[in-house]
Amino acid sequence: AGNLVNQDPQILFDWNAIGGSNFYLLEVDTSLSFNSINKRNAVTSSTTTAISISNLKFGRTYYWRVAAVNSSDTSDWSINRTFSTIDQITLASPSFGAQNEDIRLFLRWISINGTNGYLYELDTTNSFNSNLLESGLAGSSTVNASGIQVFNLRFGTKYYWRIAATTSLDTSNWSTVFNFTTLDQISLVSPAD
């Protein structure tokens, strides 16, 4: 990762090998001086030139660098690279303003790597404060969900929904709010009129 935007909160960092190195040191931080409370250190085993870091904070700019270590010396740090993490989830379906949706349907979004799950809210008001509010957690650390099925919606009703991602250390911003309207009547098929 280098100079990239909207990266997941779990990233695989990799670099070119230096002959004779025994292992590598990696530093990742939200501060260019690598001294903040968000600093993460990692040490590779043997000559591995990649390591995964998880639980990065959402919506932050990060800097990273690597140094090589052998039995008698440590190299200077590499040139710093930068990237930013995603700050909100992208909703997929039902699409914004969808009409005639079923009263049982899946809310779907684009999943990201490194989450513990997703918070969701579904309501008949865009302030998410009515007595019909449905909310909860979709997915878990073992199942990185990209949707949740909702049941028993009201006929002919406009619903609003949003999603946020969670890790063990942070929660993303809420997604953009989407809305859809459920169907209000049945379409007859046969016999024809």
Side-chain angles (χ1 to χ4, degrees):
N3 302 320
L4 301 173
V5 297
N6 293 324
Q7 297 300 294
D8 294 343
Q10 178 177 327
I11 296 179
L12 178 67
F13 296 88
D14 62 357
W15 53 89
N16 293 324
I18 295 178
S21 298
N22 294 341
F23 59 92
Y24 298 90
L25 305 174
L26 168 70
E27 288 187 333
V28 180
D29 200 354
T30 55
S31 166
L32 186 54
S33 57
F34 294 90
N35 62 358
S36 83
I37 60 170
N38 296 315
K39 181 179 173 184
R40 306 287 295 282
N41 296 315
V43 177
T44 65
S45 58
S46 67
T47 57
T48 301
T49 60
I51 194 163
S52 181
I53 300 287
S54 58
N55 288 321
L56 297 173
K57 300 229 176 200
F58 291 102
R60 301 287 179 93
T61 296
Y62 279 91
Y63 305 92
W64 68 284
R65 62 188 182 181
V66 177
V69 179
N70 65 24
S71 57
S72 62
D73 199 10
T74 300
S75 73
D76 288 338
W77 287 107
S78 65
I79 295 171
N80 297 334
R81 293 287 179 102
T82 185
F83 65 93
S84 64
T85 51
I86 192 167
D87 66 348
Q88 68 180 27
I89 300 301
T90 301
L91 302 183
S93 68
S95 61
F96 183 84
Q99 299 289 316
N100 298 318
E101 292 293 319
D102 288 339
I103 58 169
R104 180 184 71 187
L105 54 79
F106 275 95
L107 303 176
R108 297 188 189 277
W109 54 88
I110 307 300
S111 65
I112 59 174
N113 291 321
T115 66
N116 286 354
Y118 299 88
L119 302 172
Y120 73 94
E121 290 187 335
L122 172 71
D123 203 353
T124 55
T125 67
N126 63 1
S127 55
F128 298 94
N129 61 359
S130 84
N131 60 352
L132 296 175
L133 173 66
E134 181 178 330
S135 62
L137 181 66
S140 67
S141 59
T142 57
V143 178
N144 193 2
S146 61
I148 187 165
Q149 190 169 33
V150 291
F151 302 90
N152 299 320
L153 301 179
R154 293 179 174 211
F155 290 107
T157 303
K158 188 173 195 174
Y159 283 91
Y160 300 86
W161 65 289
R162 63 186 180 180
I163 303 293
T166 65
T167 68
S168 60
L169 299 178
D170 200 14
T171 300
S172 74
N173 292 327
W174 285 108
S175 66
T176 301
V177 176
F178 272 22
N179 68 69
F180 65 89
T181 303
T182 54
L183 59 86
D184 197 24
Q185 61 181 236
I186 303 299
S187 297
L188 303 180
V189 176
S190 68
D193 188 14

